[in-house]
Amino acid sequence: MEKTTNRTRDVLLVWLFLFFGLLISKNALSQSQRVTKTEMNPLSTWVGTWEGEGWSMDEQMQKQTFQLVEEVESKIDGLAIAMDAKGVNAQGAISHHAYGLVMYDIDRMAFIIQSLTKDGYVMRSEGKLDAGILSWQVDVPHGQLRYSIQVKGNEWIEKGAYSEDGSTWWPFMEFKMTKK
């Protein structure tokens, strides 16, 4: 009798283990994303070195200008675009440094934009490409930030704006660069 009870317990433990394993793996699969390079093709012209000038507002709402170099690379056979932008002010100090990654999520049917700034801010947002302009928004305390990148030939224009209410927008940054 004891052998039968032990066997029943073992079978029950195996079934519980399989059941919870299935739940965990289903959760892991639902969190994964699929990306494609087909939708990334329009951004392939971005790859290269871009140079120009930019400005952004600092914490005291003062406009800071800088010379800018942005290195854009295709990653993993075109599945993603990596962007590394560095801005140096007139005193030679790095006043802007941001790293971004752009990919296209098949399941969400949207571009995914991730970025990290020198000040330690991290952002992940969904974006769209419309009429050659990649745009995205992110909610922040007390409002929203809206960004856009437009590349026409050898000209790159990137803008950022802030809104408290979603209808009135204040520019807080702009970059104008040419491809080298």
Side-chain angles (χ1 to χ4, degrees):
M1 182 79 163
E2 190 175 317
K3 245 185 183 183
T4 307
T5 306
N6 285 342
R7 185 161 193 249
T8 304
R9 183 195 62 188
D10 292 344
V11 169
L12 182 60
L13 285 174
V14 167
W15 279 107
L16 283 173
F17 178 74
L18 289 173
F19 176 73
F20 285 113
L22 182 62
L23 283 178
I24 291 169
S25 67
K26 185 175 186 226
N27 238 359
L29 287 175
S30 67
Q31 293 175 9
S32 67
Q33 295 173 304
R34 297 179 310 140
V35 296
T36 178
K37 63 181 170 182
T38 303
E39 298 295 330
M40 294 295 295
N41 284 340
L43 307 186
S44 64
T45 60
W46 293 15
V47 174
T49 301
W50 298 80
E51 295 180 3
E53 53 190 36
W55 63 267
S56 64
M57 303 300 275
D58 65 14
E59 293 84 20
Q60 290 79 35
M61 298 305 293
Q62 299 297 312
K63 190 183 228 181
Q64 301 298 316
T65 60
F66 42 83
Q67 294 300 306
L68 190 65
V69 175
E70 185 144 4
E71 297 288 340
V72 180
E73 299 178 332
S74 176
K75 297 293 185 179
I76 312 176
D77 194 30
L79 287 174
I81 299 271
M83 301 174 288
D84 189 2
K86 291 180 186 171
V88 178
N89 65 21
Q91 293 74 35
I94 294 178
S95 57
H96 172 81
H97 191 183
Y99 186 83
L101 191 64
V102 179
M103 63 203 97
Y104 188 84
D105 184 321
I106 298 170
D107 299 320
R108 290 191 168 134
M109 296 175 49
F111 286 90
I112 303 298
I113 297 96
Q114 295 180 201
S115 65
L116 170 65
T117 69
K118 76 176 184 73
D119 300 318
Y121 293 106
V122 176
M123 180 190 66
R124 180 179 170 93
S125 182
E126 289 187 11
K128 64 180 181 174
L129 185 64
D130 187 27
I133 301 171
L134 180 65
S135 60
W136 66 100
Q137 284 187 193
V138 63
D139 292 331
V140 295
H142 312 294
Q144 299 173 326
L145 300 177
R146 177 172 65 189
Y147 296 90
S148 66
I149 299 173
Q150 180 176 21
V151 175
K152 282 186 175 177
N154 285 341
E155 184 180 43
W156 176 299
I157 299 173
E158 186 169 348
K159 296 179 180 181
Y162 168 77
S163 176
E164 290 179 340
D165 59 11
S167 59
T168 304
W169 293 89
W170 292 280
F172 68 86
M173 63 164 259
E174 185 171 335
F175 307 153
K176 290 185 179 180
M177 300 175 287
T178 55
K179 197 170 192 178
K180 299 299 169 190

